Amino acid sequence: MNNRASAILLNLRQFSTLVPTSRTIRLYPLGFSRPKVVYSNWNPRNLLFSDFGNGVQSSARHLFQDALIFKSGDNFQTKGIGTETVLTVDRPLCPRRLSFDSNHSLDPDDALKKEAFHHKASSEDVLTKETKPTPVNNKKLSEECSSLSDVLDKFSERPTFPSSNYFSAMWIIAKRMSDDQKRVEKQLMFNHPAFNQLCEQMMRESKIMHYDHLLFSLHAMVKLGIPQNTLLVQTLLRVVQERINECDEKCLSVLSAILEAMEPCKNVDVLRAGLRILADQRVWKIERVFTLQALIRCVGKDAPIALKRKLEMKALRELDRFSDLNSQHMFEALAAMNHRSIVLLDECSKMVIGNIHGCPFKVLINILQSCKDLRYHNLDLFKGIADYVATTIDVWKLKQVIFLLILLENLGFRHTDLMDVFMKKVIADPASLNMKNIICILHVYSSLNHFYKCHTSEFQEAMANSLTGYLHNISSENLLSAVCSFCLMNHFPMALINPLLQKDVIKELLIPGDESNAHKLRILAACLKLDIPCHKAVDFDLPPRPSTTLYPNVKVADALSSLLGEGYFSKDIQLPHNYHIDFEVRMDTNRSQVLPFSDAVTSAADIQRVAVLCVPRSTYCLDLAHPRGFLAMKLRHLKIMGFHVILVHNWEVERLEKEDVITFLKTKLYSTEAFLTADVNLQSTC
């Protein structure tokens, strides 16, 4: 008898070592012979990877040890996970069940008792099999219910495992609703008496439900707008961290979508770091391109460069398997990771251009926005998109075309056909434009310096007349932006300009620390003095322009010094109306002879002032052949001020040798007649 008791105690001690210290599981023969699982004193700080490899296990354990769980906010409350909270679970559905170790032997009598116990339990299962509730299916539930409250009513009538299906069903239903209806239904969901009960049950089940169910439910919660700082969401984030090694490829894509939709917080950041470790380990085993792109979007802009390159190489290997949709979404994925892969983007661009017909407007916008974020300039891609929109412009809404033009302007791309077609539509129906549309259109056309033959004046008049109708409710700042655009286009509607000349309006616009309005007022003042000389002078009393350190092009300065000699040119000249030129050369009126600055000239009519401007790429449109609005206005004003202007492209000079720069400047400085005269003199002396 004593030996049998000792054996029982020994086996109990050995069995106690198998049960985690953070939770205790008790079996109660209640209900339909189903066990009840009781979590006592669940420790959210005990988060480890169960099987992450010897090299990663310690780092992962350290990674999760400091993450926090926050209390619920005002909009959503739960009672938390109590130490005596009971959850009834069907044994066949529970993926985690305890079993005795085969190495631990039992007394023969105990073995007989154990066999009798299991026989009795199995008999009870057979007797009650037909009375067990059928597990709920989220698809079937979403078809049977028409609102979120209907799903909660179903739950309150007969709760079934797993609770994740109820959240998934509610999200499926919510996706079918309009925004207004969705807003009302969400409020009804939060106020439903069964909602808190469902949340509590979800937290209790999170440790034992299948991992993909856990992720789908968390994704549904985020999409349904359950506050991120609630105990429910933070608890599920911690459980996802604890069980992250259960991720398969499908779970990786769902987890990536969850993290992409959530705001940064400590638990999200820790989980994202864990996902990066998984991505680094499993990237070569990923089979679906969709999962790969979801990972690329999720790892974040601050991911290690080695991981970014590994994901890039995996995407390049899968290029042959890219669908049209994959190639379209690759731009957005790379922009989310802030990684510019020229080879990958070039290949995806070809696929987008070849299959652009029928491409949704949202996808086109995402591609252009991603190109801007990545500083990726592909003229063929932009031309293909603009050509497609220009040929199908009648099927697009007005605001869609305006939005597309704004993005193209941000990229510096001027597509003449699209802008011409759109200009005709605006002239034909200016009444369809609201104030915001007019301001945006003026900004695009003035920034890209676009004109269309005889239609330009008609277009400018139509835009000015339309905007005049909004004078009673337009703000001074918006009016100044519109007038500045007109100034760049060399058009001056006085009905719009006069309200800005009031002293109180100018004082209102000159906000301390805001240089934008002051810059626009300087443009307006310069245009009024130079382009409209008959206009009465107005004292704007503008603050001085912020001083900036300017460095003249060294290669151009050396070339001028070799070509002309010292004292025959001046550099870094500040002109009236806040204009600056890099170099000035004085010549005779025929531009055949350079005059030294030291000579006293009796009449300004005897000299020709030459301005040499060294301009960067940003002052031109993307094709580098058409100057943008501000440069075009500056050239116009310098000509009015009596200058002959020579443009030197910085990006071209950088590639030239000094002798080539000298030759280029010589051909630009001297007139054609001067060269012809020099050739004749050279032939007569031979």
Side-chain angles (χ1 to χ4, degrees), residues 522 526 529-530 545 573-580 609 637-638 641 643:
R522 292 190 193 99
K529 291 182 179 180
L530 296 174
R545 186 178 180 180
I573 301 97
Q574 189 65 39
L575 300 175
H577 313 297
N578 297 287
Y579 282 127
H580 169 271
R609 301 178 71 183
H637 286 173
L638 287 176
M641 296 166 67
F643 283 93

Side-chain angles (χ1 to χ4, degrees), residues 407-575:
L407 284 177
L408 291 176
E409 185 274 330
N410 289 336
L411 291 164
F413 183 72
R414 171 178 169 263
H415 190 272
T416 55
D417 291 342
L418 176 59
M419 299 187 75
D420 290 347
V421 171
F422 186 72
M423 183 183 287
K424 290 180 181 179
K425 289 182 69 70
V426 169
I427 294 173
D429 187 18
S432 61
L433 303 175
N434 58 35
M435 181 179 66
K436 186 177 180 181
N437 295 152
I438 296 172
I439 295 173
C440 292
I441 293 171
L442 287 173
H443 171 73
V444 170
Y445 279 78
S446 63
S447 175
L448 295 177
N449 187 32
H450 181 75
F451 299 96
Y452 180 42
K453 302 177 183 177
C454 59
H455 292 286
T456 299
S457 299
E458 191 177 354
F459 167 74
Q460 293 171 345
E461 289 294 336
M463 299 298 289
N465 293 335
S466 298
L467 191 60
T468 304
Y470 292 100
L471 275 178
H472 61 284
N473 59 358
I474 189 173
S475 67
S476 300
E477 193 167 354
N478 286 336
L479 181 59
L480 178 61
S481 298
V483 168
C484 184
S485 298
F486 278 119
C487 290
L488 294 180
M489 296 164 66
N490 198 20
H491 184 71
F492 307 99
M494 298 310 301
L496 300 175
I497 294 176
N498 288 329
L500 293 173
L501 304 182
Q502 307 298 323
K503 290 186 177 181
D504 56 339
V505 175
I506 295 175
K507 185 177 180 181
E508 176 190 347
L509 290 170
L510 293 175
I511 304 172
D514 185 5
E515 176 60 23
S516 175
N517 288 343
H519 174 67
K520 294 174 183 177
L521 286 172
R522 292 190 193 99
I523 291 177
L524 176 59
C527 289
L528 291 178
K529 291 182 179 180
L530 296 174
D531 293 303
I532 316 177
C534 59
H535 187 270
K536 183 180 178 181
V538 179
D539 184 14
F540 283 88
D541 192 19
L542 299 176
R545 186 178 180 180
S547 59
T548 55
T549 304
L550 300 173
Y551 300 97
N553 193 303
V554 177
K555 189 175 287 189
V556 175
D558 292 343
L560 285 174
S561 180
S562 301
L563 177 63
L564 305 178
E566 295 296 334
Y568 283 87
F569 69 95
S570 178
K571 57 184 178 181
D572 194 13
I573 301 97
Q574 189 65 39
L575 300 175

Side-chain angles (χ1 to χ4, degrees), residues 131-229:
T131 62
K132 288 184 179 181
T134 304
V136 67
N137 180 277
N138 58 38
K139 184 177 180 181
K140 182 179 179 182
L141 190 60
S142 63
E143 294 173 353
E144 294 176 351
C145 301
S146 59
S147 67
L148 309 186
S149 298
D150 291 345
V151 177
L152 293 173
D153 291 338
K154 288 276 188 181
F155 168 77
S156 61
E157 291 172 4
R158 196 172 190 183
T160 57
F161 179 87
S163 302
S164 58
N165 287 325
Y166 293 100
F167 284 104
S168 299
M170 286 193 289
W171 170 234
I172 294 174
I173 295 172
K175 287 192 293 185
R176 301 195 294 252
M177 299 177 178
S178 63
D179 292 339
D180 293 337
Q181 186 182 2
K182 195 181 300 182
R183 191 180 304 109
V184 174
E185 284 292 332
K186 285 181 181 180
Q187 190 60 43
L188 293 175
M189 176 191 72
F190 288 127
N191 296 332
H192 197 284
F195 182 67
N196 282 356
Q197 180 185 355
L198 175 61
C199 295
E200 291 174 2
Q201 183 162 324
M202 182 66 216
M203 287 192 291
R204 293 194 294 267
E205 293 179 359
S206 61
K207 285 270 188 172
I208 60 173
M209 69 172 54
H210 290 290
Y211 195 65
D212 57 344
H213 290 178
L214 175 63
L215 291 177
F216 279 122
S217 61
L218 181 56
H219 181 263
M221 292 174 194
V222 173
K223 292 297 184 179
L224 285 170
I226 296 178
Q228 186 173 318
N229 64 338

